[in-house]
Amino acid sequence: MAEWSGFRPCACIAVDAEAYGGKNDRRQSQTQHDLPRILDGAARGAGLDRTQWHIQHKGDEQLAVRPLDGTEPRLVDDYIRHLVAELREYNVQRVPEARMRLRAVVHQGLVELADNGFAGTAVVATARLLTARPLYDALAAHPGADLALLLSDDVFRSTVAGGHTTLSTEDFTSVTVQVKEYEAAAWLWVPAPAMASREPGAAQQGKHAAPAPGEPAADRPQPAAAGGPLISNEYRGDHTNVTNIAGPVDARGAVFGFGSAGG
């Protein structure tokens, strides 16, 4: 792990688990055990080396600091996307009370490695952003989401607005953060959950799965009528489409259907 003296331009990445204080002892212990592993897995998936980050642990929170090195767009984009995927895989195996949902923040500024942690107004600003009301409200408003992300204005403009990520400025909502003496503009993003039916009560309301990224909404299976069959084998095509493909095709996991126009 690289050390440095004095203040250096750094990226600050902070995460905090939702509703940690309301969990019992065993679940608090489980959160502290699993959180670092989820964060490590996300970094590996994004091709980032968290062993080179300076990390401050605090129960259900982590604050990581790393010198700016030009990979900040991957931090905002790839790392967060992999973190969402890690949380999704983790949570799908657990009852709602044991889910881990995170508030996440990315900021940047001058940071010094001090005797008892990190020093610098950038670190203070990161802590204020992590406790911002818009982050709490976002998770409350999207119960099926596993993560809500807040970018400082500097980070947003230098990565997303600068066109250096696959994220769009339209993905984010502009918010104002006011915590104690800190007040600043920031940008909020809540990655959509993989399945709308994971939201509490979705099954009872007849919701169906949200389309996978890139899947046209018209191709989604429609919910069955109340009391009706979940699957229909009736062929209702009026014509047959034929697609010719030249060259090898990886069709693992694919499903092919055959029928005739006359039924």
Side-chain angles (χ1 to χ4, degrees):
M1 180 183 298
E3 301 287 342
W4 73 82
S5 59
F7 286 90
R8 289 187 57 178
C10 292
C12 303
I13 313 98
V15 298
D16 183 20
E18 179 196 51
Y20 176 81
K23 298 180 183 294
N24 62 31
D25 292 352
R26 291 178 60 87
R27 285 184 174 150
Q28 286 188 4
S29 177
Q30 191 69 46
T31 296
Q32 292 201 32
H33 177 270
D34 294 336
L35 178 60
R37 287 153 181 78
I38 289 173
L39 298 174
D40 287 344
R44 284 193 301 272
L48 299 171
D49 186 3
R50 254 177 47 102
T51 64
Q52 298 302 309
W53 301 6
H54 294 267
I55 299 174
Q56 183 172 285
H57 304 268
K58 184 185 174 183
D60 62 325
E61 298 180 28
Q62 274 202 19
L63 170 61
V65 170
R66 41 162 284 188
L68 297 180
D69 61 1
T71 61
E72 287 68 47
R74 290 172 56 195
L75 182 66
V76 170
D77 194 342
D78 299 350
Y79 178 62
I80 295 300
R81 290 189 188 279
H82 280 280
L83 182 53
V84 171
E86 292 283 339
L87 287 168
R88 185 175 297 145
E89 182 178 355
Y90 178 87
N91 288 332
V92 77
Q93 305 174 51
R94 285 163 174 78
V95 297
E97 294 77 13
R99 287 175 65 200
M100 187 187 302
R101 306 175 74 213
L102 297 181
R103 294 180 292 273
V105 165
V106 182
H107 182 42
Q108 62 188 22
L110 296 175
V111 178
E112 180 184 45
L113 295 182
D115 293 336
N116 195 37
F118 309 122
T121 56
V123 175
V124 175
T126 302
R128 299 293 183 256
L129 289 166
L130 193 61
T131 59
R133 174 51 54 189
L135 270 180
Y136 287 82
D137 291 344
L139 284 183
H142 299 84
D146 296 311
L147 179 143
L149 171 69
L150 197 61
L151 300 182
S152 68
D153 191 59
D154 286 347
V155 170
F156 175 81
R157 295 189 182 281
S158 63
T159 57
V160 179
H164 301 292
T165 70
T166 62
L167 297 166
S168 167
T169 55
E170 285 74 24
D171 294 326
F172 289 80
T173 301
S174 177
V175 298
T176 299
V177 174
Q178 293 179 308
V179 181
K180 296 184 178 179
E181 76 291 344
Y182 181 82
E183 180 175 350
W187 296 84
L188 177 69
W189 177 44
V190 182
M195 301 287 287
S197 59
R198 290 177 60 199
E199 298 184 17
Q204 291 81 356
Q205 297 170 16
K207 292 185 180 179
H208 52 272
E215 179 187 359
D219 292 341
R220 294 179 299 183
Q222 298 301 311
L230 294 177
I231 299 175
S232 172
N233 292 320
E234 179 185 3
Y235 180 71
R236 302 185 64 183
D238 296 324
H239 62 276
T240 301
N241 291 327
V242 178
T243 301
N244 295 314
I245 302 174
V249 175
D250 185 353
R252 289 174 291 182
V255 177
F256 298 93
F258 300 93
S260 64

